[in-house]
Amino acid sequence: QAQVIVDVLENFGWRSSRQEPKSVRETDPNVRQPAIIANGALGRWVTTLSDDSGITELALQDDLSQDQLIEQVFLRLLTREPSDDERVAFAELLSEGFADRVVPEDQRPAAEKRDSLKHVSWSNHLSEEANTIKIEMERRAREGEPPTVALQPQWRERLEDMLWAMVNSPEFLYLP
């Protein structure tokens, strides 16, 4: 998981080879920055509504209106309230199925369980099995957590689309 973060940091000007990484860095935007957010693992982690996601927690609240949900998502991701146009556009996106977005607990399918992997340590790090374990660990890290089963899949995917649009906005990507 750390490599995914390093990949993003490097695309935004951080270099691990510098003695003091905060001193001099490239601040001009480049084409790699939006590409790594839009297509990389970090973007997938942020936009996938897993059971551990704070946005999932918001969406599961019964007492939250659609407008309040949109406002809270904007505050969490962009630290501002949505404009009137944004509010209308995202309300239109999320309105279908909003009232029935939560899957009742007794009707939820079993959450995806991953088999635990053996640990790699000094005692086994040179074995062929250790390499297989590390490759699987990297694959799982890049894949991220599975989506929650607590929200209706079609509605959850629309909320994930909203998150993806916000994370890939110029406002999120470039801070002068």
Side-chain angles (χ1 to χ4, degrees):
Q1 289 177 331
Q3 186 60 50
V4 170
I5 305 299
V6 169
D7 292 346
V8 172
L9 290 174
E10 286 176 343
N11 279 285
F12 280 84
W14 179 81
R15 289 191 324 251
S16 61
S17 61
R18 293 187 306 212
Q19 292 297 316
E20 191 177 341
K22 64 181 179 178
S23 59
V24 178
R25 69 181 277 254
E26 181 183 330
T27 58
D28 294 333
N30 61 63
V31 295
R32 293 181 320 271
Q33 293 170 347
I36 198 162
I37 298 296
N39 302 310
L42 185 66
R44 189 170 41 258
W45 293 350
V46 171
T47 59
T48 298
L49 294 175
S50 67
D51 287 329
D52 295 333
S53 168
I55 304 298
T56 300
E57 186 179 316
L58 274 175
L60 291 172
Q61 292 180 12
D62 288 335
D63 60 342
L64 204 65
S65 71
Q66 179 178 287
D67 193 50
Q68 290 171 322
L69 173 65
I70 292 168
E71 186 174 307
Q72 287 299 309
V73 169
F74 264 81
L75 289 171
R76 287 185 183 205
L77 283 155
L78 300 178
T79 66
R80 67 168 177 83
E81 294 183 2
S83 68
D84 291 339
D85 289 341
E86 291 167 332
R87 198 179 296 272
V88 168
F90 289 125
E92 186 177 308
L93 176 69
L94 298 177
S95 62
E96 183 182 337
F98 179 80
D100 301 320
R101 69 190 180 282
V102 178
V103 176
E105 286 189 45
D106 61 339
Q107 296 176 16
R108 293 178 188 171
E112 181 183 324
K113 297 276 185 183
R114 293 180 176 174
D115 296 334
S116 61
L117 298 172
K118 292 181 180 178
H119 294 285
V120 175
S121 66
W122 280 107
S123 65
N124 68 352
H125 77 283
L126 295 176
S127 73
E128 185 177 328
E129 183 184 18
N131 190 42
T132 304
I133 291 168
K134 285 298 191 179
I135 290 170
E136 177 61 15
M137 289 171 75
E138 180 181 359
R139 185 193 68 75
R140 288 182 183 188
R142 290 196 180 278
E143 186 179 275
E145 293 296 317
T148 184
V149 295
L151 294 169
Q152 295 290 347
Q154 293 170 337
W155 189 87
R156 176 188 45 79
E157 288 172 5
R158 288 197 301 276
L159 182 55
E160 289 173 341
D161 289 346
M162 175 183 163
L163 297 175
W164 191 89
M166 291 174 69
V167 167
N168 286 285
S169 71
E171 180 178 356
F172 187 87
L173 286 174
Y174 178 67
L175 299 173

